[in-house]
Amino acid sequence: MTETTRRDEIAAGLAGVEATIAEACQAAGRTREELTLVAVSKTYPASDVRLLASLGVRNVGENRDQEASVKARECADLGLTWHFIGQLQTNKVRSVVGYADVVHSVDRPRLVTALSHEAVRVGREITCLVQVALDDDPGRGGVVPAQVTALADAVAEAKGVRLGGVMAV
């Protein structure tokens, strides 16, 4: 597939997503500017991230640190906002804090502590979304609804991180 063809394919897919977002905004009485589109590039190469950026996408998400860290490094010149959207093990925090601006999967106090420590160490501020489990699947992660407030308070009180909201699975 040629570069031009791949760009056209990505542009068409993005246009379809934008049309769906526009319809949803109209139905909800909201403006498009109120929403942030996070393009998840899972399993696709950094060259696709570059094409998305050339089409105006500024927020990119990944759920695996090994893939995300490489892409973020390869696309560092683009000024993108990187979102880590997968379950995060504390042993991966150092790497994730190195590139991610937003972590969508904060689901335990120990993770808040690790993110805070590393963010302060490197002089960054990471936006955290508290991940709420709405089902009984322990493999998906997330804090039970009854513990959301306590975890959100822990994020709000920690240095180097800030509470950005919640994410439900």
Side-chain angles (χ1 to χ4, degrees), residues 3-165:
E3 178 89 11
T4 303
T5 304
R6 182 64 180 146
R7 186 180 196 286
D8 293 343
E9 182 182 0
I10 290 172
L14 183 59
V17 168
E18 286 291 353
T20 301
I21 291 171
E23 288 176 24
C25 285
Q26 185 174 14
R30 297 183 71 181
T31 66
R32 172 62 182 92
E33 294 74 29
E34 292 179 80
L35 305 178
T36 301
L37 170 66
V38 179
V40 178
S41 62
K42 176 179 166 179
T43 73
Y44 290 95
S47 58
D48 281 2
V49 173
R50 289 191 164 280
L51 290 172
L52 283 163
S54 76
L55 294 166
V57 171
R58 307 308 319 149
N59 290 269
V60 179
E62 286 289 342
N63 71 333
R64 291 199 171 131
D65 174 55
Q66 292 164 321
E67 189 174 345
S69 61
V70 172
K71 287 182 193 175
R73 205 170 28 257
E74 290 178 15
C75 298
D77 60 310
L78 299 175
L80 300 172
T81 298
W82 287 88
H83 297 250
F84 187 82
I85 61 172
Q87 276 192 294
L88 180 55
Q89 299 169 330
T90 54
N91 66 336
K92 300 286 185 179
V93 164
R94 178 171 280 190
S95 177
V96 170
V97 167
Y99 61 84
D101 302 291
V102 184
V103 174
H104 289 235
S105 51
V106 176
D107 62 356
R108 59 199 182 281
R110 184 172 175 228
L111 183 55
V112 174
T113 301
L115 286 164
S116 172
H117 179 266
E118 187 60 21
V120 168
R121 188 186 75 78
V122 298
R124 294 195 69 211
E125 182 175 79
I126 307 298
T127 299
C128 296
L129 303 181
V130 172
Q131 181 177 331
V132 184
L134 299 178
D135 63 15
D136 293 328
D137 183 354
R140 293 171 66 112
V143 62
V144 297
Q147 295 174 354
V148 169
T149 301
L151 189 58
D153 287 345
V155 173
E157 293 168 6
K159 291 181 170 41
V161 296
R162 70 181 169 95
L163 183 61

